[in-house]
Amino acid sequence: MRNQLTDFTNFYFIGIGGIGMSALARYFKANGKEVAGYDRTRSELTQALLNEGCKIHFEDQGEKVKNHVSTPEKTLVIYTPAVADTHKELLYFKEKGYTVYKRAEALGLITRFMKGLCVAGTHGKTTTSAMLSHILDQSPWKCNAFLGGIASNTNSNLLLNKQSEWVVVEADEFDRSFLHLSPFASIVTAIDPDHLDVYGDSSSFTDGFRQYAMKIDPNGVCVVKEGISLPTLCPSISYGIESDTADYNASKLSYVEGEMQFFVDTKSSGRVCFKLGLPGIHNVSNALACVALLDHIGLPMSDIQRGLASFKGVKRRFEVQIKTSELVYIDDYAHHPEELKSLIDSLRMMYPEQEINAVFQPHLYSRTRDFGNAFSEQLSRFDSLIILPIYPAREPEIIGVSSEWLLSMVNMKNKKVLSATDVLQAMKQKTKGVIVTIGAGDIGEIVAPLKDILIQNIEAAS
């Protein structure tokens, strides 16, 4: 299997600008391969790949893509499941006998001969996997890592260390991708139903996680958030916050000067105090999962403490853009009701006296439809709300499902639907309170201009 990848000299990516795809592209480029690809839109990631020597174009060129690749014997084609089956370049490669893999298949082959520490779950897997890889990278063990976000410590979604046997992988449940992995150990953060457009119903979604858990090496461990029950062939340990029954419990949480402090009763070292350079109750939960896994596989506790204290987070995951005594601006990737709940719980704990103003972009028509009531319940907890039009991603419009429909269910007076441009206009007088932009679509494109506007507001008011 390994030679199937190493024998290729050229790698072509359809959807190269995706966060998971770009990590693979960087991996092959770092290993001396020729890397090219297509993406629908230009982005910071595609520009970074171009700067690193990858060749990228932004139009589906159909059979003309032959000008960007070598022969079928020398070229491996990798595509994201977000690409439609009717994509002309994809059809060309299949017709001409090229080897074509989904992203998860290629990642599974790369990691099969290393000890995989995988992070699965509906929420928190990107931050948790980045946290796990940072702790290991700062320790003598080191690691490789394929992440689903840009880690702030390295400004990358890839870590490479040829001497380390460990590889950290974000195990994505979408399209059942995580079933291509061979985990030595895994964290499972949550199994709240999602991607029902793929799985059909919540029972099938849970079955996907059951299949995944059974793939974990019997000599490894499955670390699950308390309340999750999955059959495994390996030991299973639970973690929870302020819990009397979890195997690993975080207690006495406090938030002081931008840091979370908490205590954990560990198996190897008794009660240990940890400091985490990220705010948020949900990040304590993510950190606790890392402590449990790494303690179980034998990483010294001092290495875990040091790594957590120096972790700077992941881009667009509770990322603080502005922090003054009067105004705070945070950007977050939350796109599921449970993620919204965790985000709001943390904001209310950190800023109990502040007005919290949200700008939210729903992601996918199907997700908005399936969880409309749960979304509206959480969105009603803000003090004011702006909803952007739904980001469709891979989906066609669903008649009757819209941001206006979602807004109508939100129990709040100060609410409206605006375009991205109008959001920037609406924020030109804002000088106080907490502002949070939320979503997994293209809402990230307004973060920089909104930050500039808010800074100008602060300067004008001073």
Side-chain angles (χ1 to χ4, degrees), residues 308-357:
L308 283 178
S310 62
F311 180 61
K312 296 180 181 178
V314 180
K315 303 292 186 184
R316 298 218 61 232
R317 269 68 172 185
F318 210 86
E319 187 177 15
V320 178
Q321 300 289 330
I322 299 174
K323 185 179 180 183
T324 71
S325 58
E326 295 289 319
L327 186 142
V328 174
Y329 172 33
I330 293 169
D331 180 47
D332 193 81
Y333 195 72
H335 54 285
H336 185 280
E338 287 299 318
E339 294 169 346
L340 270 178
K341 181 181 185 304
S342 295
L343 171 65
I344 300 167
D345 288 347
S346 295
L347 289 171
R348 292 296 181 192
M349 183 196 78
M350 294 165 61
Y351 306 105
E353 307 299 325
Q354 296 267 43
E355 182 180 274
I356 301 177
N357 310 278

Side-chain angles (χ1 to χ4, degrees), residues 110-118 132-133 135-137 139-146 159-169 182-186 217 219-221 293-294 296-300:
I110 292 171
T111 58
R112 189 163 295 173
F113 299 93
M114 292 184 270
K115 279 190 171 180
L117 303 178
C118 301
L132 190 63
S133 64
I135 297 168
L136 286 165
D137 185 55
S139 79
W141 287 19
K142 302 296 181 183
C143 73
N144 303 272
F146 294 86
L159 277 177
L160 294 176
N161 189 295
K162 292 182 179 179
Q163 281 69 51
S164 177
E165 65 178 337
W166 300 101
V167 58
V168 176
V169 178
S182 302
F184 172 75
S186 183
D217 192 310
N219 296 312
V221 64
L293 187 149
L294 293 171
H296 185 89
I297 65 175
L299 187 69

Side-chain angles (χ1 to χ4, degrees), residues 205-222:
F205 182 81
T206 304
D207 283 343
F209 274 87
R210 291 194 184 102
Q211 294 174 50
Y212 169 77
M214 289 298 289
K215 293 175 67 66
I216 301 170
D217 192 310
N219 296 312
V221 64
C222 183

Side-chain angles (χ1 to χ4, degrees), residues 40 114 173 192 213 239 298 314 321 335 387 443:
R40 184 174 58 180
M114 292 184 270
E173 74 277 3
D192 299 305
Y239 66 96
V314 180
Q321 300 289 330
H335 54 285
I387 302 183
I443 190 172

Side-chain angles (χ1 to χ4, degrees), residues 286-305:
N286 296 334
L288 180 60
C290 294
V291 171
L293 187 149
L294 293 171
D295 189 31
H296 185 89
I297 65 175
L299 187 69
M301 194 57 61
S302 58
D303 289 325
I304 303 175
Q305 287 176 292

